Amino acid sequence: MKINWRSIPWAKNSFAALSAACELSDITLHEVSSPENDITCYSLNSVNEPHFRDEISDAECITIVGGPHPTACWEEVRQYADYVVIGEGEYTMPALINMIASGSQILPAGVASKEQVVMPNHSVLLSSYPPFSVVKGYTEISRGCPFGCGYCQTPRLCGRHMHHRRIDDIERATRVFRDVRFVTPNALAYGSDGIHLRLDKVEQLFKSLTGRRIFFGTFPSEVRPECISDASLHLIESYCANRKVHFGAQSGSNHVLQMLRRGHTAEDVMTAYDCCRDHGLTPIVDYIVGLPYESDDEQRLSVTQMKEISRGGIVHVHHFTPLPGTPLAGTSARSILPDVQRELGRLAQSGKATGSWIDAEVRFFKEHEDQLS
């Protein structure tokens, strides 16, 4: 039985991780550009899922679909896919493939078919699985997030309890790279519960990677603003190659941040900005405009903060997209005010703003093809 993986730029790191997990069960995933017999697997998010719906529905093979969107919308996805993986896939996907190969009808936990569903009953222990094997990818060092930001699928996919890959496993995996980049919801939370930092663990990680160029606190391992301090930036200065630090502000309004359950304030954002500048590091700061809780004045307040950030840093801006499975699912994005669009255009022309605040799909496909190709 041949097991295929549908090549999708956004899902390259998922391919690397799940290919490695399948190898532990003597299953080889073959990368393909269209569905092929016997089984074709997909990893989809809520932006690209509509582009693959017809392909999966029409496929003349068994289809397995997982990822953030199928996890949130498994009842919808199982209408056109044969099987849906709900949640983390390292254990579930090989178990499902072995079930199909054996002819069994007993679904493993975390799988939905057209006739039945067995909800997940486990959490993946990262150090039980290599981050990649033959198919190379970034090294995932942490999973889960204790914060419940209203727009984010991460805690709904991976849980709100942070768990981490062991340092010796990270060191072993990254020996194949000179430049080391990590996947994590919050790089500076490595080794901690995500709220009470353990910078001693972060330093132990850095010390284990002697001889390699470490990129930490920048794509794809951004940080939270309240985690930025003299102590944390001193570690990045001392051990890492990057001279940029990427963190999320999302709004310049404390009311909006509170409604989003962000867990930090607008003042924390500016403190993080000042700290980066004091250490000679360029801050790259994320913002979302058009949030449903946002008044006209609050949208303008975000732009005011963006302009302050742009004096010594860069802002990365996108228009709010409500994602299924999140508290803001079912809400609508507010339009971007004409004067806000003009200000963002000026920042973009001066090289101080990136992203796309007009079309979410244009932003998504352009960024992910550039960053993960």
Side-chain angles (χ1 to χ4, degrees):
M1 179 173 282
K2 184 184 177 189
I3 316 300
N4 305 296
W5 177 273
R6 177 61 161 93
S7 177
I8 300 171
W10 171 84
K12 283 189 176 180
N13 220 63
S14 296
F15 179 32
L18 292 173
S19 179
C22 285
E23 284 179 29
L24 297 180
S25 296
D26 296 321
I27 298 168
T28 300
L29 297 183
H30 301 272
E31 191 170 16
V32 295
S33 57
S34 61
E36 296 183 12
N37 285 333
D38 297 297
I39 298 174
T40 302
C41 306
Y42 293 74
S43 180
L44 303 178
N45 62 37
S46 297
V47 176
N48 64 22
E49 181 269 341
H51 295 264
F52 293 94
R53 195 178 298 161
D54 288 344
E55 175 181 304
I56 296 167
S57 178
D58 296 339
E60 297 181 357
C61 63
I62 296 170
T63 54
I64 298 174
V65 183
H69 185 87
T71 292
C73 301
W74 58 268
E75 291 183 281
E76 166 197 311
V77 175
R78 70 173 174 174
Q79 300 305 312
Y80 62 82
D82 294 305
Y83 298 97
V84 181
V85 173
I86 304 170
E88 300 167 290
E90 283 89 346
Y91 167 79
T92 306
M93 188 168 144
L96 174 59
I97 291 169
N98 285 328
M99 184 215 82
I100 296 168
S102 71
S104 170
Q105 300 298 313
I106 302 174
L107 294 180
V111 175
S113 67
K114 288 180 172 62
E115 296 81 22
Q116 58 181 316
V117 59
V118 182
M119 297 306 291
N121 63 359
H122 62 276
S123 179
V124 167
L125 181 64
L126 283 182
S127 285
S128 296
Y129 298 92
F132 50 78
S133 180
V134 175
V135 180
K136 296 299 184 288
Y138 298 127
T139 304
E140 186 180 20
I141 60 172
S142 302
R143 187 176 289 183
C145 180
F147 298 93
C149 299
Y151 53 84
C152 183
Q153 289 176 319
T154 295
R156 286 88 201 175
L157 179 67
C158 303
R160 293 185 67 166
H161 173 72
M162 286 201 81
H163 42 289
H164 310 279
R165 197 179 300 277
R166 291 191 300 257
I167 287 176
D168 57 343
D169 292 327
I170 296 169
E171 189 280 325
R172 189 178 305 111
T174 56
R175 288 176 188 171
V176 298
F177 299 121
R178 179 172 177 265
D179 292 354
V180 180
R181 290 177 170 83
F182 304 112
V183 172
T184 167
N186 178 8
L188 288 169
Y190 177 76
S192 77
D193 61 4
I195 298 172
H196 307 95
L197 300 189
R198 290 291 307 273
L199 295 182
D200 58 320
K201 296 288 188 181
V202 176
E203 185 166 23
Q204 287 175 31
L205 172 62
F206 290 163
K207 286 181 176 179
S208 76
L209 302 176
T210 302
R212 277 155 274 186
R213 294 207 317 159
I214 304 168
F215 292 83
F216 193 86
T218 187
F219 180 85
S221 60
E222 296 90 342
V223 301
R224 288 177 56 88
E226 75 275 20
C227 297
I228 294 174
S229 64
D230 288 331
S232 61
L233 294 189
H234 176 70
L235 289 178
I236 291 175
E237 282 181 293
S238 301
Y239 292 97
C240 301
N242 52 290
R243 288 298 170 258
K244 296 177 181 178
V245 174
H246 197 148
F247 61 91
Q250 314 313 354
S251 175
S253 160
N254 279 327
H255 169 254
V256 173
L257 291 173
Q258 184 178 27
M259 295 299 290
L260 289 175
R261 309 176 200 170
R262 273 293 291 172
H264 67 77
T265 66
E267 290 73 26
D268 289 332
V269 172
M270 294 312 301
T271 298
Y273 165 82
D274 290 336
C275 197
C276 288
R277 298 299 297 154
D278 290 345
H279 285 260
L281 298 169
T282 301
I284 312 294
V285 187
D286 285 332
Y287 285 88
I288 303 172
V289 291
L291 289 157
Y293 300 128
E294 186 181 70
S295 69
D296 288 356
D297 287 344
E298 286 168 333
Q299 192 175 114
R300 293 185 177 105
L301 193 58
S302 287
V303 173
T304 297
Q305 190 178 75
M306 291 181 211
K307 290 166 71 175
E308 292 183 52
I309 295 289
S310 71
R311 294 173 184 169
I314 298 171
V315 295
H316 184 72
V317 190
H318 58 274
H319 198 194
F320 168 69
T321 300
L323 298 176
T326 68
L328 293 181
T331 64
S332 299
R334 294 189 71 242
S335 59
I336 303 176
L337 300 168
D339 56 302
V340 168
Q341 290 199 36
R342 286 193 295 272
E343 289 293 345
L344 293 177
R346 292 188 189 102
L347 289 173
Q349 287 180 338
S350 65
K352 291 294 185 176
T354 62
S356 172
W357 39 94
I358 304 300
D359 189 321
E361 290 196 17
V362 168
R363 179 193 82 247
F364 177 84
F365 286 109
K366 180 180 186 303
E367 287 181 5
H368 286 81
E369 287 177 7
D370 289 347
Q371 292 171 336
L372 295 180
S373 61

